[in-house]
Amino acid sequence: MAKKTAKKKPAAKKTVEAHRQFSSPMLDGPDRAPSRAMLYPVGFKNEDFKKSIIGVASTWSMVTPCNMHIDKLAKESVKGADAAGGKGVEFNTITISDGISMGTEGMKYSLVSREVIADSIETVVGCEGMDGIVAIGGCDKNMPGCLIALARMNRPGIFVYGGTIKPGCFKGEDVDIVSVFEAVGQHSAGKMDDKTLDGVTETAIPGPGSCGGMYTANTMGSAIEALGMSLPNSSAQAAVSDEKLMDCFDAGAAVVNLINNNIRPRDIMTKKAFENAITMVTALGGSTNAVLHLLGIASAAGVKLSIDDFTRIGKRVPVLADLKPSGANMMMKLVEIGGTLPLMKMLLNAGLIHGDCMTVTGKTVKQNLAKVKSSYPAGQTIIRSLKKPIKKDGHLVILYGNLAPEGAVAKISGKEGLTFNGSAKVYDSEEKAMTAILGGKIKKGDVIVIRMEGPKGGPGMREMLGPTGAIMGAGLGKDVALITDGRFSGGSHGFVIGHVTPEAFVGGPLAIVKNGDEITIDAETREMTLHITKKEMAARQKKWKQPKPRYTTGVLAKYAKLVNSASQGAVTDADL
């Protein structure tokens, strides 16, 4: 009988792996003696040179509480890799703190850090010839940065989320970092005294972990789990918990299993897997940053994902989670009722996620969920049923129109209404807008326009949590809209539209808006309209001149030169 020949896999997009050879585990040959000499002092023994080398990328830092515990988590992943027959090697990369830098010039480095983190992990793994990777992240940019690196290298790998913070408590109520930003707005409006502001500030962050609502970190943790790149339910664990320690140990062991079965990130991160991630983000009412980051990860994985995929999926997936910032509950409440798995089972049973996608367990989504119940405890109000959703369709609305020919991203919960019409108040930086808001110069019916904050123009696409927090704190959340070519923190809510493309710095229509111009935002028709004639728009664009770059040397200048549009993920290597 003729022997069957295996079908050849289609040629993959060129990756780092295509032009580098792993130097491990073949470290036991005579020509590798110098390598062995370098590794004995860091803890290798003779038998380790024949094992798979598992790099454990830690984003530990005392820069931020989000990551202050990750050194301990990394050590658990090393133990897990060792116990499964591999050899774990821990190394570090950077992280920054959005919460500290928000509203300052330093925030321009935030999105830039995503690329630096991805580059640094790629550099270490590629240089040291590691066979597998555990990447541990606990804050907004290091999480997608880790995934971009895993996708680029395409060596067996897994992501571990550092976990959510437990809520603070002030006067019997849960508080977090967004509570502080909104308290600043209340204080400025004369609705809160100094003592109360200090009280909220001192109690909002009780210990390690990522910001406690369905903000960017918890959104991305959930999305990455649904993508199949982290272990089941690992996105719904407290940062300081036995469950999170076990998750890290299991992740180290899981990478050895992935190596043994030759399952790689690009086998997992398929188009259908990204659709699962978008579905999860939508059901949870997650951050607008998920659009930017999932596009960036998909680009690294060679998957064609576009902003229009969010519209397509949002038309059939409802918002089910009553979580901050638009809802009432912290992430820990979801952890306490069973986490993300029952929600995924609900979505699977409804045909809203693909069950046949491979995951880092070596099993499919459907197999991982086989024994999971599709219900939460009776009486809970955090996750709604599909029959009684918070919003019948998605909250992430992609807008087009003459103000955003290449698209913009809105977060419309429905509570702030579906349309807004008002007069433009234009500011060429976040600082100028913040001064106006805190100075009481913003009134009902205003459309705040903050421009020159895009990926190239900022550079770095700063988050506008300060302005949105101040607006909410001043009680103007339903009366004012804000549009920007920058982006928003996952903690932002209200009638806000970001990622406006093309950005103002490259001559996008946002650049020619004037004070007093009438602007309409319509979430139902998915349009954002500047009410001037085509003739007037053409005349303004003809007079417009591109400003000089704000930075001409250093990492911000390099980023501005390389980065592409926010509608394509704001990545730096797409056009190389």
Side-chain angles (χ1 to χ4, degrees):
M1 188 173 179
K3 186 178 180 181
K4 291 183 179 179
T5 57
K7 290 183 179 179
K8 290 184 178 180
K9 290 184 179 180
K13 180 182 175 182
K14 188 176 181 182
T15 66
V16 174
E17 183 189 344
H19 53 82
R20 288 201 183 111
Q21 295 293 319
F22 300 179
S23 60
S24 62
M26 303 303 293
L27 292 172
D28 56 339
D31 62 323
R32 303 306 296 160
S35 298
R36 295 199 301 276
M38 293 293 290
L39 291 168
Y40 282 123
V42 299
F44 273 62
K45 297 178 182 178
N46 284 332
E47 58 267 27
D48 293 330
F49 296 120
K50 294 183 180 180
K51 297 176 181 177
S52 295
I53 307 302
I54 312 301
V56 179
S58 167
T59 57
W60 171 83
S61 172
M62 291 303 287
V63 166
T64 168
C66 306
N67 290 59
M68 63 188 287
H69 63 305
I70 285 179
D71 55 337
K72 297 180 179 65
L73 301 186
K75 287 175 172 54
E76 290 300 312
S77 287
V78 170
K79 291 178 185 177
D82 291 349
K87 177 58 180 174
V89 178
E90 183 183 352
F91 66 92
N92 244 76
T93 183
I94 67 159
T95 193
I96 53 86
S97 173
D98 289 355
I100 295 171
S101 63
M102 195 74 70
T104 72
E105 190 74 3
M107 187 64 187
K108 292 180 178 180
Y109 289 88
S110 173
L111 186 58
V112 177
S113 77
R114 186 188 76 176
E115 308 304 300
V116 175
I117 291 161
D119 291 349
S120 67
I121 294 174
E122 174 192 328
T123 301
V124 174
V125 171
C127 181
E128 304 306 320
M130 293 167 173
D131 301 289
I133 316 164
V134 178
I136 309 175
C139 199
D140 297 9
K141 309 311 168 305
N142 57 54
M143 298 171 71
C146 287
L147 265 291
I148 288 171
L150 291 174
R152 284 182 190 170
M153 299 304 290
N154 201 31
R155 301 182 186 187
I158 191 169
F159 176 76
V160 177
Y161 175 38
T164 186
I165 197 172
K166 294 177 181 178
C169 183
F170 181 68
K171 293 186 176 180
E173 294 187 5
D174 288 346
V175 290
D176 64 0
I177 187 62
V178 176
S179 306
V180 183
F181 279 97
E182 294 185 0
V184 170
Q186 291 175 293
H187 183 268
S188 177
K191 299 178 181 180
M192 181 180 287
D193 59 28
D194 293 348
K195 185 177 179 181
T196 303
L197 176 60
D198 288 343
V200 175
T201 304
E202 291 166 6
T203 58
I205 311 293
S210 300
C211 299
M214 190 46 64
Y215 311 143
T216 302
N218 281 318
T219 296
M220 289 309 300
S222 304
I224 293 166
E225 181 185 330
L227 185 64
M229 285 301 296
S230 60
L231 294 174
N233 219 37
S234 61
S235 64
Q237 295 168 335
V240 181
S241 66
D242 291 341
E243 291 80 8
K244 182 49 63 182
L245 291 172
M246 183 58 70
D247 177 41
C248 294
F249 183 94
D250 290 345
V255 173
V256 177
N257 181 59
L258 291 170
I259 291 171
N260 293 339
N261 289 283
N262 195 28
I263 298 172
R264 303 180 182 232
R266 293 191 180 201
D267 298 324
I268 296 169
M269 289 193 270
T270 63
K271 179 65 178 284
K272 290 201 296 184
F274 278 99
E275 291 177 347
N276 285 349
I278 294 171
T279 295
M280 193 67 159
V281 170
T282 303
L284 289 169
S287 167
T288 54
N289 279 318
V291 178
L292 194 71
H293 295 324
L294 289 174
L295 289 172
I297 298 164
S299 176
V303 172
K304 291 184 179 180
L305 193 71
S306 79
I307 53 175
D308 296 327
D309 288 314
F310 289 81
T311 297
R312 175 174 58 82
I313 292 169
K315 287 180 178 179
R316 61 187 178 86
V317 178
V319 178
L320 301 176
D322 186 18
L323 295 167
K324 287 180 176 288
S326 299
N329 298 287
M330 298 287 198
M331 183 67 181
M332 274 304 299
K333 295 293 185 182
L334 179 57
V335 174
E336 290 165 5
I337 64 169
T340 51
L341 289 184
L343 174 58
M344 287 190 70
K345 188 63 174 283
M346 288 168 56
L347 296 169
L348 177 67
N349 289 347
L352 296 174
I353 61 173
H354 305 287
D356 59 344
C357 292
M358 179 55 64
T359 74
V360 291
T361 64
K363 299 178 181 179
T364 65
V365 170
K366 185 176 181 179
Q367 289 171 329
N368 287 341
L369 296 173
K371 296 181 180 180
V372 175
K373 294 181 179 180
S374 61
S375 61
Y376 287 96
Q380 67 83 26
T381 58
I382 298 156
I383 301 294
R384 301 278 186 88
S385 72
L386 288 161
K387 293 180 179 179
K388 294 183 179 179
I390 289 173
K391 190 172 184 287
K392 66 180 182 179
D393 53 7
H395 64 300
L396 296 176
V397 179
I398 307 302
L399 302 170
Y400 287 95
N402 69 351
L403 257 182
E406 294 177 8
V409 181
K411 186 178 183 180
I412 306 294
S413 71
K415 295 180 180 179
E416 60 284 289
L418 296 173
T419 61
F420 194 97
N421 182 267
S423 299
K425 289 279 186 70
V426 183
Y427 304 95
D428 284 340
S429 72
E430 178 187 1
E431 288 86 352
K432 291 177 181 178
M434 192 68 172
T435 298
I437 297 166
L438 294 178
K441 295 182 179 180
I442 302 301
K443 307 298 181 186
K444 182 177 180 179
D446 285 342
V447 178
I448 303 168
V449 176
I450 305 178
R451 64 192 180 193
M452 299 298 168
E453 291 287 2
K456 288 183 177 292
M461 206 177 179
R462 287 191 290 183
E463 291 181 345
M464 303 294 138
L465 181 55
T468 60
I471 288 167
M472 298 303 294
L476 292 169
K478 295 182 179 180
D479 302 320
V480 168
L482 191 156
I483 62 176
T484 180
D485 51 9
R487 59 197 175 90
F488 295 106
S489 161
S492 293
H493 57 124
F495 217 108
V496 297
I497 296 90
H499 309 205
V500 176
T501 55
E503 62 176 286
F505 183 79
V506 300
L510 209 62
I512 53 108
V513 178
K514 294 182 179 180
N515 285 323
D517 283 347
E518 183 184 358
I519 294 173
T520 298
I521 304 159
D522 193 323
E524 293 183 306
T525 63
R526 300 175 187 269
E527 290 182 305
M528 188 161 61
T529 305
L530 175 65
H531 291 287
I532 61 174
T533 64
K534 289 182 180 179
K535 184 178 179 180
E536 173 64 13
M537 180 170 278
R540 291 187 190 183
Q541 287 176 327
K542 189 175 181 179
K543 291 180 181 179
W544 182 82
K545 292 182 179 180
Q546 185 177 54
K548 293 181 180 180
R550 286 170 168 161
Y551 288 83
T552 56
T553 61
V555 67
L556 292 179
K558 287 190 287 186
Y559 180 84
K561 187 177 181 65
L562 292 171
V563 71
N564 68 2
S565 169
S567 64
Q568 297 174 306
V571 298
T572 54
D573 62 346
D575 301 319
L576 298 179

